[in-house]
Amino acid sequence: MVAETILIVDDEQEITDLLEIYLKNENYVVGKCYSPLDALAFLEKEPVSLAILDVMMPGIDGFTLCQKIRQKYLFPIIMLTAKSDDIAKIQGLSLGADDYIVKPFNPLEVVARVKTQLRRYKQYNVNPAGTDGPAEYDNKGLYICPASHKCTLNGEVLSLTPFEFHILWHLCKNRGRVVSAEELFETIWGEEFLESNNNTVMAHIARIREKMDETPRKPKYIKTVWGVGYTIE
């Protein structure tokens, strides 16, 4: 089996070296870059299974790098940030990150998060929607099919990450029913819902809406039922 490659992007060499030791101990191949431009060049040459991005870097910051990566790649992204406020976390998630870890961190926690994200990524790519319910959804110009992992809007392909695809499909297959943030989080992330996880769900919903050119105040597809959850009619 080919070893998975983890890309670490951080201008602090001590951090990249530390994570490299722990990740290699788990038989991952590690690529290290000390600037976003080096990281983008690395991605053009090497296949990557997951990226760990520092937020605070000179020149292009981690948020901008995350956004640039998401224009071409679907692999999981974990952000490393010294900021613990919710705004920074929501910003990263809304730009396409899948998880975030606040510095200082335990390297073992990073390894655990890497394993979790890779497991979910494989799960959603192989079987992003499960076998229950309808086989596809086609209404008002929105088409989504889990078997082909295809999603289009008015004939144009929607470039969704596995998490975004799974969220949209879960709403579509439950159309007409209001789905709570708790249900979305526990179904898709597979973890117990905490109040703080609501921000994670909101950020991903906002990202999907942005890709669909939806306006939150007058959405055509994903509608918010305040205090309850989300629905597609």
Side-chain angles (χ1 to χ4, degrees), residues 144-204:
I144 183 169
C145 176
S148 61
H149 208 297
K150 182 179 180 181
C151 184
T152 61
L153 182 62
N154 298 321
E156 297 292 327
V157 175
L158 280 180
S159 180
L160 302 174
T161 68
F163 276 96
E164 292 164 355
F165 187 98
H166 199 48
I167 289 171
L168 184 56
W169 171 251
H170 191 76
L171 291 172
C172 286
K173 76 175 184 178
N174 288 283
R175 59 186 179 274
R177 180 173 73 85
V178 180
V179 179
S180 68
E182 179 179 357
E183 178 182 333
L184 279 173
F185 186 84
E186 292 187 349
T187 299
I188 294 160
W189 277 265
E191 298 177 4
E192 182 181 356
F193 179 80
L194 303 175
E195 193 62 35
S196 59
N197 298 138
N198 190 51
N199 291 332
T200 300
V201 175
M202 288 175 59
H204 280 78

Side-chain angles (χ1 to χ4, degrees), residues 4-231:
E4 294 168 306
T5 297
I6 310 300
L7 174 62
I8 307 170
V9 188
D10 197 311
D11 59 328
E12 296 184 53
Q13 186 173 347
E14 290 183 2
I15 290 179
T16 60
D17 289 348
L18 177 64
L19 291 177
E20 180 183 30
I21 291 171
Y22 279 82
L23 289 168
K24 281 190 171 181
N25 192 50
E26 296 293 328
N27 298 317
Y28 292 113
V29 174
V30 176
K32 297 187 296 182
C33 293
Y34 304 106
S35 76
L37 291 179
D38 288 343
L40 292 173
F42 184 93
L43 288 170
E44 292 294 331
K45 299 181 294 182
E46 302 290 340
V48 169
S49 301
L50 180 145
I52 301 172
L53 313 180
D54 183 38
V55 170
M56 303 301 293
M57 289 184 285
I60 301 174
D61 63 21
F63 291 138
T64 304
L65 176 58
C66 177
Q67 193 171 28
K68 288 181 177 292
I69 290 174
R70 276 291 171 255
Q71 291 172 2
K72 294 182 65 176
Y73 305 99
L74 296 177
F75 55 73
I77 297 175
I78 298 176
M79 306 297 295
L80 294 179
T81 175
K83 299 179 179 180
S84 59
D85 59 283
D86 288 339
I87 293 177
K89 295 173 184 176
I90 292 172
Q91 183 179 359
L93 292 170
S94 65
L95 292 174
D98 298 286
D99 201 357
Y100 53 83
I101 298 175
V102 178
K103 296 180 178 178
F105 55 78
N106 183 332
L108 292 174
E109 179 188 0
V110 178
V111 172
R113 298 283 189 95
V114 166
K115 290 181 178 180
T116 297
Q117 290 301 327
L118 287 173
R119 184 174 63 251
R120 290 172 180 164
Y121 180 70
K122 293 172 188 174
Q123 173 189 345
Y124 296 153
N125 274 332
V126 172
N127 184 18
T131 57
D132 59 319
E136 60 183 16
Y137 174 90
D138 190 356
N139 190 31
K140 297 181 181 178
L142 175 62
Y143 174 80
I144 183 169
C145 176
S148 61
H149 208 297
K150 182 179 180 181
C151 184
T152 61
L153 182 62
N154 298 321
E156 297 292 327
V157 175
L158 280 180
S159 180
L160 302 174
T161 68
F163 276 96
E164 292 164 355
F165 187 98
H166 199 48
I167 289 171
L168 184 56
W169 171 251
H170 191 76
L171 291 172
C172 286
K173 76 175 184 178
N174 288 283
R175 59 186 179 274
R177 180 173 73 85
V178 180
V179 179
S180 68
E182 179 179 357
E183 178 182 333
L184 279 173
F185 186 84
E186 292 187 349
T187 299
I188 294 160
W189 277 265
E191 298 177 4
E192 182 181 356
F193 179 80
L194 303 175
E195 193 62 35
S196 59
N197 298 138
N198 190 51
N199 291 332
T200 300
V201 175
M202 288 175 59
H204 280 78
I205 291 289
R207 183 68 174 165
I208 296 169
R209 281 173 168 162
E210 180 183 343
K211 291 182 177 182
M212 298 174 72
D213 291 325
E214 285 254 77
T215 56
R217 292 188 176 181
K218 293 184 178 180
K220 181 179 178 181
Y221 300 99
I222 304 175
K223 299 184 178 181
T224 301
V225 179
W226 295 108
V228 184
Y230 307 93
T231 185

